[in-house]
């Protein structure tokens, strides 16, 4: 559930600064985000408990890390001591470290570092970022660039390089970020995981052609593409205007925006399989919220045309608020853990994802303040 809360939290922190134009009321939007987040914090008050999806995993892996990304974003626009304490105590419990220690190359382990860095910004203390910086330095100082073999990893690890680059002013983080992103984009799976013609990403090498969906089209998993889309916005938000590869990231963001706009459902959601509505089609919140986040950010920053993209964002946001959020703050229509449309089905209004850790509305930076 935490992943989803991140989505909502992302969304809402951005929504509040959008100009008027049939936008949701800011106070009501904030109330919605708070309700969803408070539901999660109450239900999962013990941040020390490991997650369980087939096996136990510590609470500082990606499923929790993405939630805390969102929580920190919410805290930025609506500071509350309990938000800060919930994040700080979690990070401190894990000694500001990662599963696998400082030599792990797994982006799922790195994700928590995004929240550590944000906590450091509030109250600088070298201990808070010592481990994540040591780990990123290890990646910088070793030749491998092919660690991100699945596209979820781009969101889990890539923004950390951008954060550290901005924090330290050192170009080495931007350079390594580009090398690893470029490898995933252009080399993993043979010719890369990004289909430049269609503007969307295959989840990993298992889904590149000749793999096809039941309707004969390419398999583009909604949430996987959402991870990349969110990562691009987070990176573009951090790196300087003259960073040498900024235009490359921006070009991919624009290509994805166009492709995503074209496959939105009539009801405002996106299917779990972006190009095959017959393969477990239906409402799905996690991918949809990530797309809202990215598009709202693009509009707010003058990158996406407001007349063209704002209707897309509003249709999706209104659909989530109306059809997914329960009165108590529980979030429905969230696909559980997996890597393709068939995983964790069926997705329903009442279904509880097997990995409750990531089921929060990616509101944390949902840039719903275009």
């Amino acid at each position: 559930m935490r992943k989803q809360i991140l989505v909502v939290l992302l969304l809402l922190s951005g929504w509040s600064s959008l100009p008027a134009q049939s936008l949701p009321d800011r106070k009501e939007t904030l109330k919605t985000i708070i309700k969803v987040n408070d539901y999660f914090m109450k239900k999962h008050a013990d941040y020390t408990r490991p997650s369980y999806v087939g096996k136990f995993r510590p609470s500082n892996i990606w499923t929790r890390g993405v939630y805390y990304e969102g929580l920190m974003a919410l805290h930025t626009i609506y500071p509350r001591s309990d938000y800060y304490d919930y994040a700080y105590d979690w990070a401190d419990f894990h000694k500001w470290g990662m599963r696998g220690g400082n030599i792990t190359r797994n982006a799922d382990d790195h994700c928590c570092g995004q929240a550590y860095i944000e906590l450091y910004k509030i109250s600088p203390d070298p201990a808070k970022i010592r481990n994540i910086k040591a780990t990123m330095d290890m990646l910088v100082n070793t030749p491998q660039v092919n660690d991100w073999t699945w596209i979820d990893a781009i969101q889990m690890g890539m923004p950390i390089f951008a954060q550290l680059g901005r924090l330290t002013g050192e170009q080495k983080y931007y350079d390594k970020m580009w090398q690893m992103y470029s490898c995933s984009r252009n080399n993993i799976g043979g010719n890369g995981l990004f289909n430049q013609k269609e503007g969307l990403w295959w989840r990993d090498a298992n889904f590149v052609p000749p793999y096809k969906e039941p309707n004969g089209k390419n398999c583009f998993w909604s949430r996987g593409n959402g991870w990349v889309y969110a990562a691009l916005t987070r990176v573009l938000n951090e790196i300087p205007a003259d960073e040498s590869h900024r235009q490359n990231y921006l070009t991919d963001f624009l290509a994805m925006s166009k492709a995503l706009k074209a496959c939105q459902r009539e009801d405002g959601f996106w299917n779990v399989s972006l190009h095959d509505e017959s393969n477990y089609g239906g409402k799905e919140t996690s991918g949809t919220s990530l797309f809202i986040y990215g598009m709202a950010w693009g509009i707010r920053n003058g990158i996406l045309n407001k007349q063209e993209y704002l209707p897309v964002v509003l249709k999706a946001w209104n659909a989530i608020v109306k059809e997914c959020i329960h009165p108590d703050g529980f979030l429905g229509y969230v696909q559980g853990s997996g890597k393709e449309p068939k995983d964790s089905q069926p997705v329903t209004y009442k279904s509880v994802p097997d990995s409750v850790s990531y089921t929060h509305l990616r509101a944390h930076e949902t840039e719903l303040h275009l």
Side-chain angles (χ1 to χ4, degrees):
M1 176 151 216
R2 300 195 184 208
K3 178 198 302 184
Q4 228 19 38
I5 281 189
L6 162 65
V7 173
V8 171
L9 294 182
L10 269 173
L11 280 178
L12 299 196
S13 61
W15 190 263
S16 60
S17 67
L18 280 173
Q21 180 180 324
S22 301
L23 292 179
D25 179 81
R26 293 182 184 183
K27 291 183 179 180
E28 288 302 313
T29 299
L30 183 59
K31 283 174 60 178
T32 298
I33 299 177
I34 291 172
K35 178 172 70 174
V36 174
N37 186 66
D38 286 358
Y39 170 87
F40 179 83
M41 285 179 59
K42 181 178 179 180
K43 185 167 184 176
H44 303 281
D46 185 359
Y47 51 80
T48 70
R49 291 187 61 186
S51 65
Y52 181 80
V53 181
K55 63 180 180 179
F56 286 103
R57 295 177 175 85
S59 67
N60 59 344
I61 63 166
W62 73 272
T63 55
R64 305 295 177 92
V66 292
Y67 163 75
Y68 284 102
E69 288 176 52
L71 182 61
M72 295 309 300
L74 176 57
H75 182 269
T76 298
I77 64 167
Y78 190 70
R80 265 178 39 176
S81 60
D82 56 336
Y83 294 167
Y84 177 83
D85 292 345
Y86 191 57
Y88 179 92
D89 291 347
W90 161 78
D92 198 54
F93 170 76
H94 290 290
K95 299 180 180 179
W96 306 88
M98 290 146 285
R99 179 189 68 166
N102 292 356
I103 60 172
T104 177
R105 304 188 69 92
N106 189 336
D108 285 350
D109 297 343
H110 301 159
C111 185
C112 59
Q114 296 185 51
Y116 296 167
I117 293 171
E118 294 305 316
L119 286 162
Y120 170 87
K121 289 178 183 178
I122 294 173
S123 180
D125 175 354
K128 294 177 181 176
I129 61 171
R130 181 176 295 120
N131 293 314
I132 188 60
K133 186 176 183 299
T135 302
M136 294 298 111
D137 285 344
M138 177 270 294
L139 295 180
V140 167
N141 294 322
T142 51
Q144 298 96 315
V145 296
N146 61 348
D147 295 294
W148 298 340
T149 59
W150 73 111
I151 60 175
D152 312 38
I154 294 174
Q155 199 288 141
M156 308 310 161
M158 186 172 168
I160 301 174
F161 285 112
Q163 288 174 304
L164 288 175
R166 183 172 182 176
L167 194 65
T168 66
E170 296 186 69
Q171 182 65 32
K172 65 180 183 180
Y173 296 110
Y174 299 144
D175 292 343
K176 190 68 176 190
M177 175 174 68
W178 168 252
Q179 292 165 15
M180 295 180 70
Y181 175 77
S182 180
C183 181
S184 299
R185 184 187 189 279
N186 302 320
N187 302 115
I188 298 296
N191 295 309
L193 298 178
F194 185 51
N195 184 322
Q196 297 182 52
K197 182 179 179 180
E198 297 189 69
L200 295 170
W201 295 70
W202 292 290
R203 197 269 180 179
D204 56 55
N206 293 319
F207 297 97
V208 302
Y211 188 95
K212 296 292 182 183
E213 287 288 75
N215 69 351
K217 295 184 179 181
N218 283 312
C219 179
F220 298 122
W221 183 44
S222 178
R223 187 165 65 234
N225 276 270
W227 287 134
V228 179
Y229 200 51
L232 288 171
T233 67
R234 291 174 65 74
V235 166
L236 287 165
N237 217 36
E238 295 282 347
I239 61 177
D242 61 352
E243 206 288 313
S244 58
H245 293 290
R246 184 179 182 87
Q247 187 58 51
N248 298 98
Y249 301 131
L250 186 58
T251 297
D252 288 353
F253 174 79
L254 291 171
M256 289 192 73
S257 298
K258 181 179 179 180
L260 292 168
K261 176 178 176 291
C263 59
Q264 184 181 34
R265 291 162 48 99
E266 284 298 318
D267 61 7
F269 292 91
W270 277 265
N271 290 305
V272 290
S273 179
L274 294 175
H275 281 182
D276 189 354
E277 63 184 15
S278 70
N279 191 21
Y280 297 97
K283 304 179 181 70
E284 202 285 310
T285 310
S286 64
T288 296
S289 59
L290 287 163
F291 301 148
I292 295 172
Y293 166 50
M295 287 186 189
W297 178 89
I299 296 168
R300 185 167 67 88
N301 286 277
I303 294 169
L304 297 179
N305 181 278
K306 184 163 67 173
Q307 282 190 317
E308 182 179 357
Y309 284 92
L310 185 55
V312 178
V313 171
L314 292 178
K315 180 187 285 188
W317 174 253
N318 290 332
I320 286 180
V321 172
K322 180 180 178 181
E323 303 190 41
C324 300
I325 301 175
H326 291 226
D328 63 357
F330 174 80
L331 193 62
Y333 291 109
V334 177
Q335 185 182 19
S337 62
K339 61 181 181 180
E340 59 181 310
K342 72 178 183 180
D343 291 332
S344 298
Q345 294 289 348
V347 175
T348 69
Y349 177 70
K350 295 183 178 181
S351 59
V352 178
D354 56 0
S355 182
V356 296
S357 294
Y358 69 68
T359 313
H360 213 151
L361 252 180
R362 181 143 198 149
H364 98 245
E365 285 182 25
T366 290
E367 296 302 333
L368 277 185
H369 49 216
L370 302 186

